[in-house]
Amino acid sequence: MSPNGFWTIATASFLTVFVAELVGDKSLYAISSLASRHDGRVVLAGVATAFMGKMGIAVALGHQLARIPPPAVALASACGFLGSGALLWRRESRTAETLSTGGWHRAGAVSFASLFLTEWGDAGQLAAAALAVQVASPLAVWLGATVALCAKAALAVGVGVRARSLLPVGALRIVAAACCCLLATLSLLKLAASW
């Protein structure tokens, strides 16, 4: 494959996944909530790692990903969001200085888990899986899709960091935990609707 062909596929993957993810994706809210409580760079690193893994699986499994039953996706998402909400709720309030300097490993792990364990089989993954099945360069699809998810995450981190400068830390903890619980509830409603 020529270098131009690789970059054409990567660009098409980026655009397809970026648009699919921006339309009605719940992870934007989860990432913003995490960034309102933790260092945005650490959140971005955690979610970028999760996105690399998720897109790697989507590209590797291709059409198999589309066969995951929607109730299983909804239940896994609900559990992931509830776990993230519980972790955010249990954490004591911190000052802005502590948020940016302490607990980076925990913030990274929570960010990774919050995104890796939720929203399997979403529009972005299905788009990447479909592209991977159709083209001869799964690496280009993976790269474009991962960069698209990281771009979305960077936007959401910016919103979360801005919220941290506008709201008291204690209120952010409550809002972040409530957002995760709301997302879990939406996932459970999706599960109930599929039965």
Side-chain angles (χ1 to χ4, degrees), residues 1-13 135-137 139-141:
M1 170 176 285
S2 72
N4 287 341
F6 178 89
W7 291 112
T8 300
I9 293 169
T11 302
S13 299
V135 300
S137 182
L139 179 61
V141 173

Side-chain angles (χ1 to χ4, degrees), residues 34-91:
L34 289 164
S36 71
R37 290 277 302 143
H38 303 289
D39 185 319
R41 296 167 298 187
V42 175
V43 171
L44 190 56
V47 300
T49 305
F51 288 151
M52 283 188 267
K54 286 179 82 166
M55 280 303 149
I57 291 168
V59 167
L61 296 181
H63 63 282
Q64 297 296 325
L65 185 64
R67 294 184 180 164
I68 297 174
V73 172
L75 183 59
S77 293
C79 291
F81 285 130
L82 281 174
S84 298
L87 286 173
L88 288 167
W89 182 255
R90 287 182 344 129
R91 306 263 324 194

